[in-house]
Amino acid sequence: MEEKGNNISRNTIYFDESGVASLNDQKPFFILTGVIAKNIEFQDLATYYYRLKLKHFGNEEPIHSQELFWKPTKKEIGFIEELTPYLETLDFGYITVIVDKGALLSSVPTT
């Protein structure tokens, strides 16, 4: 039985976006991703992630996907190689929505 106020067994969803949501922006896509998992999964991941981050980078500066995936350094590759197997053990779901702004604008009548 879950204790009142115990949120470990509850699910949480996190959203992140890429691109600008405005239809006036010149970038062609807006991408929104949601990740859902039990709170305990996120807590365990946060602990593992921060320890791994300190091991490979020695600080608490933010890490951006652009740095990890476009031209990663040897240090960043080591971080990814150690993080990936852990992520594969987590029980989570995700959804990604990609909006093609040009297609959206051309599908609606102009007034």
Side-chain angles (χ1 to χ4, degrees):
M1 183 169 159
E2 182 179 338
E3 292 179 33
K4 188 174 184 178
N6 181 352
N7 291 326
I8 289 178
S9 64
R10 290 190 174 184
N11 290 327
T12 298
I13 186 165
Y14 290 99
F15 290 99
D16 194 20
E17 80 285 337
S18 179
V20 179
S22 171
L23 293 175
N24 295 323
D25 183 72
Q26 296 301 310
K27 294 188 175 129
F29 299 104
F30 176 74
I31 303 166
L32 180 67
T33 298
V35 177
I36 188 168
K38 292 199 177 301
N39 289 350
I40 189 69
E41 295 278 1
F42 285 123
Q43 290 173 356
D44 291 348
L45 174 59
T47 300
Y48 184 82
Y49 174 82
Y50 288 114
R51 287 183 183 160
L52 192 61
K53 189 173 163 186
L54 286 173
K55 174 183 172 183
H56 287 274
F57 301 102
N59 61 44
E60 295 189 19
E61 294 294 316
I63 298 174
H64 302 285
S65 62
Q66 175 179 329
E67 298 159 356
L68 293 176
F69 300 113
W70 293 110
K71 291 186 179 179
T73 64
K74 192 173 189 175
K75 186 187 320 186
E76 291 160 343
I77 291 169
F79 175 79
I80 293 167
E81 288 175 345
E82 205 167 333
L83 179 62
T84 302
Y86 181 79
L87 292 175
E88 291 173 349
T89 69
L90 299 177
D91 183 20
F92 68 93
Y94 69 93
I95 184 168
T96 298
V97 178
I98 302 172
V99 178
D100 180 333
K101 295 182 206 178
L104 180 64
L105 285 171
S106 67
S107 70
V108 294
T110 57
T111 55

